[in-house]
Amino acid sequence: MNAPFNQQTALITGASRGIGAAIAERFARLGMNVIIHYLNSHEAANDVARRCLSFGANAMTVAADLRSGEQIERMKEKLHNHGFVPNILVNNAGISHYGLLSDLSEAEWDQVMNVNLKSAFLCCKAFMPAMVAARYGRIINVSSVWGISGASCEVAYSAAKGGMNAFTKALAKELAPSGVTVNAVAPGAVETDMMASFNTEELAALQEEIPAGRLAQPDEIASLVYFLALPESGYINGQVISPNGGWIT
């Protein structure tokens, strides 16, 4: 490891709200360098950065369309110019899509795949060389329980997250000799904006299906990401871990 854990740099994509924001703040509590990526939510990202700064962390926001390798390279260059080289990459950016496959357009399919899966490929390609050179790094992909079990009316999202799980396992084998671990966290139902389309009755029915009897909080997912990022977690590699309250086993 080329720096003490509390002096490392974590880049979290899609960190302007929800799970991404909780992950950024979890790292910030140690005073780490925290890079908060966003696409359009400038003010929300700034709010997350202010909270991170209040913990004594160095926090920086950066905008990029992660569907574009060119924009990711510009983001990487901007970070380098500010003296930041991520030791920890959290591929959290994602979107969902609900609807029948027969109603899904090719453009909608591509959008879900590009935001959820292609972005992880492009970010890993951009930031893993420095980790390999340092012979240390942590890549953590935020997947979904639907990538494990599949979900009716969420075929594109399930396929993208299933692809992320396979991507995680394969890349972990590729990078393990270089001291870089790659793992995925596949949450169940989490109380975030992605659940906004559920009405009160639907949420109640969903919670009845979950043995824990409730949705997860973003902080609970962030704690698992934090654990996987620790130096002591170096023998955990290529795993897809699903915190879901016992819902899917």
Side-chain angles (χ1 to χ4, degrees), residues 18-19 185-193 195 203 206-207 210 212-222 242-247:
I19 293 172
V185 173
V190 185
E191 197 170 307
T192 66
D193 291 348
M195 303 299 296
L203 283 173
L206 177 60
Q207 290 180 87
I210 301 170
R214 63 177 178 84
L215 273 60
Q217 295 300 307
D219 284 347
E220 294 177 294
I221 310 306
S242 181
N244 62 60
W247 187 22

Side-chain angles (χ1 to χ4, degrees), residues 138-171:
R138 298 285 182 264
I139 297 172
I140 302 159
N141 299 318
V142 179
S143 180
S144 167
V145 68
W146 296 144
I148 299 171
S149 66
S152 175
C153 296
E154 294 193 60
V155 173
Y157 182 73
S158 298
K161 293 303 187 179
M164 176 176 270
N165 293 344
F167 176 87
T168 296
K169 293 178 180 182
L171 187 59

